[in-house]
Amino acid sequence: MKSPRHCEGTVETEGTVEGQGSVEGQDYGETQGYGDNDPFQWDTREDCQVRQILDRVADKWSLLVIALLERRRLRFTELRREIDGISQRMLTVTLRQLERDGLVRRTVHPVVPPRVDYELTPLGGTLHHTIRALVTWTEEHQYEVAAARSAYDARVAAEESATGTQA
């Protein structure tokens, strides 16, 4: 059987949809679990919900915002000060997207001047646990990755000098 593709709550396989009962008298059986290790389990179409969520949470600015908000509630200016290189516009866009996805809560306090706080929602908190595991892996393997990069760069440079071309 071909690899299933998870998109918008369904599992598609070879033009059929599993876990959706029967179509034209055919029984498609049970939906496969999301825990399999198939790298093609996520649909690559732009309109796929799974792809959209992965794109959002894998964005570098989103990762940083989620990591900062895990510690405590922060104001916009505090977030901007903490995230080196982010523009005001990009932070605004990132916060709106995370709020729309239910990962961040925005609270406006009725004071003058207006005060707006951002914090992780319970859903955002669960995502932070996953991000923390990724950061831990990165910290534990950073030297191996650096060594692999150096070896690759040396190999490519040697190949280029031997052939007189660039890759």
Side-chain angles (χ1 to χ4, degrees):
M1 175 164 88
K2 284 191 175 181
S3 301
R5 295 182 177 272
H6 299 276
C7 189
E8 299 185 31
T10 63
V11 181
E12 299 177 24
T13 308
E14 298 181 18
T16 64
V17 180
E18 294 183 4
Q20 300 291 312
S22 61
V23 176
E24 296 179 11
Q26 295 179 334
D27 183 10
Y28 292 106
E30 295 297 317
T31 301
Q32 287 194 359
Y34 286 89
D36 58 14
N37 292 321
D38 184 353
F40 297 105
Q41 70 181 346
W42 303 294
D43 197 308
T44 56
R45 292 175 294 184
E46 284 188 35
D47 64 343
C48 178
Q49 290 292 321
V50 172
R51 178 178 171 190
Q52 290 173 6
I53 294 167
L54 287 171
D55 287 347
R56 169 86 61 250
V57 300
D59 171 77
K60 72 177 180 177
W61 301 125
S62 295
L63 287 172
L64 290 170
V65 167
I66 291 167
L68 287 169
L69 291 178
E70 190 274 335
R71 296 183 206 146
R72 64 186 174 99
R73 182 179 303 157
L74 292 170
R75 294 176 69 179
F76 183 92
T77 53
E78 293 172 314
L79 281 166
R80 185 156 182 227
R81 195 176 320 122
E82 291 289 326
I83 302 174
D84 188 38
I86 194 168
S87 69
Q88 180 172 334
R89 181 186 180 285
M90 193 72 243
L91 180 56
T92 299
V93 168
T94 300
L95 286 166
R96 283 183 185 160
Q97 291 171 338
L98 292 172
E99 182 182 8
R100 180 174 183 252
D101 290 343
L103 302 172
V104 167
R105 180 178 301 115
R106 178 180 186 261
T107 304
V108 179
H109 301 277
V111 296
V112 177
R115 191 179 106 215
V116 180
D117 293 329
Y118 295 91
E119 63 185 317
L120 286 184
T121 63
L123 180 62
T126 63
L127 177 59
H128 184 264
H129 297 298
T130 301
I131 292 169
R132 188 180 311 145
L134 178 62
V135 170
T136 300
W137 180 91
T138 304
E139 290 170 343
E140 290 174 356
H141 298 283
Q142 65 183 321
Y143 300 111
E144 293 168 76
V145 171
R149 287 177 177 174
S150 293
Y152 175 87
D153 292 345
R155 188 177 73 245
V156 168
E159 290 170 1
E160 287 174 357
S161 66
T163 62
T165 62
Q166 283 190 325

